[in-house]
Amino acid sequence: MLKIYGHFLSMPTNKVRLCVSYLGLPHEYVHIDLQTGEHLKPEYLEINPAGRVPAVDDDGFTLGQSDAICKYLCALSGPSPFYPADIKNQAKVNEWIDFSSQHVLQAMARLFFNRVVCKMLGEKPDEASIKTGENMLSRDLPFVDKQLGNTDFICGDKFTLADISLLAALEPCEMVGVDLTPYPALVKWREKLMKREFYKRVHTKFAAEMAG
Ligand SMILES: N[C@@H](CCC(=O)N[C@@H](CS)C(=O)NCC(=O)O)C(=O)O
């Protein structure tokens, strides 16, 4: 049985969970408690020597890094427009996956760490890092909004892994005080996806936990 290891507050974990939910692959989800350092214990380091979540164990085949995991899950599930086999179409999906991970998620991670994790740990937030995160988003969200104004999904007229990548990166917007209202196409796209079953299967509990 495929096992997915993660933490409910982790954006890369939620990317993998949304992906596996969409693909409908049977799996077991295992919570790794980052606060108690479970990710640094020898048992977990055998699964992911990098000591981070998410990771998967597919009958002894282990893998870390959310984007690599999602692509592996798509390959397991077989070819589909969600992660197209055609090399040019696939490259375009990869382009948006990288954009979401390298730019949007990195910016959100700065805000999330400083505004949420620091509070949980009783540490002082790094205001310069927050500013950098905000600057990154003010550069990149208008670009994303423009794209979504032209196409139904981030990579064209089909729902793809790139949509899940972007959706997961933006997940904590409300928690970290990122206002999406200046980006109407992005808001519309996000609301549409959050109503879908694959999302609700993962996040009914997540939303409740976040609110608590
Ligand atoms: N690029 C990695 C990021 C993984 C990552 O940084 N995970 C964080 C949680 S969001 C983590 O495990 N942090 C624990 C630590 O760094 O000790 C991915 O996409 O999987």
Side-chain angles (χ1 to χ4, degrees), residues 7 21 25 31 35 38 43 69 78 114 123 126 135 144 150 158 169 172 182 190 198 203 207:
H7 188 283
S21 171
L25 293 171
H31 175 69
Q35 261 181 298
E38 209 179 341
E43 309 85 89
I69 294 170
N114 288 293
E123 286 176 13
D126 176 346
N135 288 343
V144 169
N150 295 329
K158 294 200 172 60
R190 188 170 181 245
F198 82 88
H203 280 322

Side-chain angles (χ1 to χ4, degrees), residues 88-100:
K88 291 201 171 84
N89 290 340
Q90 187 178 107
K92 281 299 190 188
V93 173
N94 285 337
E95 180 181 36
W96 276 108
I97 290 173
D98 287 358
F99 187 88
S100 301

Side-chain angles (χ1 to χ4, degrees), residues 164-193:
I164 283 193
S165 200
L166 182 61
L167 189 64
L170 292 171
E171 202 97 77
C173 275
E174 290 76 7
M175 276 183 99
V176 301
V178 171
D179 178 16
L180 291 180
T181 51
Y183 313 111
L186 173 52
V187 168
K188 193 168 153 220
W189 163 89
R190 188 170 181 245
E191 282 173 358
K192 177 175 70 181
L193 294 189

Side-chain angles (χ1 to χ4, degrees), residues 10-12 15 34 39-40 51-54 64-67:
S10 148
M11 290 173 268
K15 189 194 304 177
L34 299 178
H39 58 303
L40 302 174
R52 290 187 173 90
V53 293
Q65 292 296 332
S66 59
D67 291 332

